[in-house]
């Protein structure tokens, strides 16, 4: 099969990964592939097809939502009998760009008319880890980027110096994409209107772990009023994704004594990312 025919292999693989991750959230870890797609994937690595690529930060590890070709995919005699499944038209990064474009135009709640800039979120479209805060603050509202003020600097230190990964390798966003006036707590109606954007972002990314930053983000997403001291120290389930809670960096700037507890939370997240533990949710 000539892999240069009509279709970019890289685009195909990205599309298949996006489809697999989209299908896998909250479902058993297998997905059926069309004969055509399976044959193309099986051809990868064969001499004369595609040279081996070095691992990069864009490499997608779909576990725990692993991709498995169906047994039928290995039976070439059946290839002519099966119709190819429709592939998604967009990759994860394109889906995230589309969501960001929608967010910048959104006025589903009153915050849309009050913002300087919407803050959809930023980071790796295939990130294993997604940090979710409460809502943009003044600095974020000015720049249209999440966690860019002093608190953002501390979060960056946690990621880069603590976890020893690049900030660009994770995805960072908030429950609300627009700043509430005076940094007040989001109200339930705003959350109801805005949370679907977060769900779509998570569906596109398919992370292994979500880390909620602060009590409000955790309580909002878990639909609970439990205090953060009870939410920390345990794994939770957010739409089938392991969910860990730690303190908001802004809180840590005011209460540096709790940095030690945050580091304990982050280490648990790192154990889950490395596969050392499998969170029970
Ligand atoms: S906060 Fe969310 S729902 Fe409200 S206007 Fe902004 S993007 Fe839309």
């Amino acid at each position: 099969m000539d892999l240069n025919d009509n279709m970019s292999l890289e685009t195909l693989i990205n599309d298949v990964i996006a489809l697999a991750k989209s299908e896998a959230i909250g479902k058993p870890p297998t997905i059926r592939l069309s004969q055509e797609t399976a044959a193309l994937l099986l051809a990868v690595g064969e001499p004369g097809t595609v040279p081996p690529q070095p691992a990069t930060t864009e490499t997608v590890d779909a576990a725990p939502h692993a991709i498995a070709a169906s047994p039928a995919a290995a039976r070439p005699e059946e290839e002519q009998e099966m119709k190819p499944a429709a592939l998604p038209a967009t990759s994860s990064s394109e889906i995230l760009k589309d969501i960001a474009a929608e967010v910048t135009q959104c006025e589903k709640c009153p915050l849309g008319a009050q913002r300087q800039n919407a803050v959809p979120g930023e980071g790796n479209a295939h990130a294993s880890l997604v940090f979710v805060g409460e809502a943009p603050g003044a600095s974020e509202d000015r720049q249209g980027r999440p966690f860019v003020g002093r608190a953002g600097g501390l979060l960056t230190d946690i990621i880069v110096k603590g976890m020893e990964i690049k900030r660009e390798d994770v995805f960072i966003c908030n429950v609300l994409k627009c700043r509430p006036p005076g940094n007040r707590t989001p109200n339930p109606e705003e959350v109801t209107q805005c949370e679907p954007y977060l769900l779509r972002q998570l569906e596109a990314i398919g992370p292994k772990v979500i880390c909620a930053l602060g009590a409000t983000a955790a309580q909002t997403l878990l639909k609970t009023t439990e205090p953060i001291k009870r939410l920390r120290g345990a794994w939770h389930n957010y739409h089938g994704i392991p969910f860990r809670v730690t303190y908001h960096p802004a809180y840590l700037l005011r209460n540096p004594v709790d940095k030690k507890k945050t580091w304990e939370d982050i280490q648990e997240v790192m154990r889950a990312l490395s596969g050392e533990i499998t969170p029970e949710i």
Side-chain angles (χ1 to χ4, degrees):
M1 181 175 296
D2 184 353
L3 294 174
N4 293 321
D5 278 347
N6 302 326
M7 183 180 295
S8 157
L9 177 60
E10 184 179 355
T11 299
L12 171 67
I13 291 173
N14 283 336
D15 287 348
V16 170
I17 289 168
L19 170 65
K21 293 170 81 178
S22 171
E23 289 287 332
I25 288 178
K27 297 180 180 177
T30 56
I31 183 169
R32 293 182 68 85
L33 302 178
S34 72
Q35 289 298 315
E36 183 181 6
T37 302
L40 282 169
L41 290 175
L42 288 170
V44 174
E46 288 181 359
T49 55
V50 178
Q53 299 294 315
T56 72
T57 55
E58 289 297 314
T59 299
V60 178
D61 177 3
H65 314 308
I67 304 169
S70 71
R75 296 199 295 273
E77 67 275 13
E78 296 178 9
E79 283 188 1
Q80 301 303 318
E81 301 170 11
M82 297 184 67
K83 296 178 182 175
L87 289 171
T90 51
S91 66
S92 296
S93 59
E94 288 169 331
I95 293 170
L96 291 178
K97 284 179 190 167
D98 288 346
I99 295 170
E102 281 183 51
V103 164
T104 57
Q105 300 294 320
C106 180
E107 293 196 353
K108 289 197 294 181
C109 82
L111 298 181
Q114 301 172 31
R115 68 188 173 218
Q116 285 189 52
N117 290 289
V119 186
E122 65 183 23
N124 192 319
H126 305 302
S128 296
L129 173 60
V130 173
F131 285 101
V132 182
E134 172 185 335
S139 299
E140 290 76 16
D141 184 49
R142 269 195 303 276
Q143 299 187 38
R145 296 181 55 216
F147 286 90
V148 290
R150 280 186 68 220
L154 179 53
L155 176 62
T156 302
D157 283 347
I158 290 170
I159 296 168
V160 176
K161 297 178 182 173
M163 304 181 78
E164 297 185 340
I165 57 178
K166 296 175 185 171
R167 178 172 158 128
E168 311 89 80
D169 287 347
V170 303
F171 193 85
I172 304 172
C173 60
N174 290 292
V175 178
L176 287 194
K177 310 306 187 190
C178 303
R179 183 193 182 204
N183 294 346
R184 64 160 170 75
T185 301
N187 68 44
E189 176 61 21
E190 292 160 354
V191 172
T192 299
Q193 294 298 332
C194 210
E195 191 175 2
Y197 291 125
L198 174 63
L199 286 170
R200 288 168 57 198
Q201 289 174 318
L202 294 172
E203 188 176 40
I205 298 166
K208 284 184 179 177
V209 175
I210 299 168
C211 184
L213 298 169
T216 302
Q219 291 167 340
T220 299
L221 296 176
L222 296 176
K223 313 292 187 223
T224 179
T225 57
E226 288 282 317
I228 191 167
K229 65 183 179 185
R230 293 222 183 118
L231 295 174
R232 283 188 56 253
W235 285 102
H236 306 275
N237 182 338
Y238 183 70
H239 294 267
I241 303 171
F243 184 102
R244 199 79 183 179
V245 178
T246 195
Y247 292 108
H248 194 286
Y251 168 86
L252 294 176
L253 290 173
R254 300 189 302 272
N255 302 274
V257 68
D258 279 334
K259 286 184 179 177
K260 182 172 179 291
K261 292 178 184 172
T262 296
W263 181 233
E264 292 168 0
D265 299 331
I266 294 298
Q267 285 181 306
E268 181 72 358
V269 166
M270 291 167 68
R271 280 191 279 274
L273 291 173
S274 70
E276 183 181 335
I277 62 165
T278 302
E280 292 189 11
I281 59 174

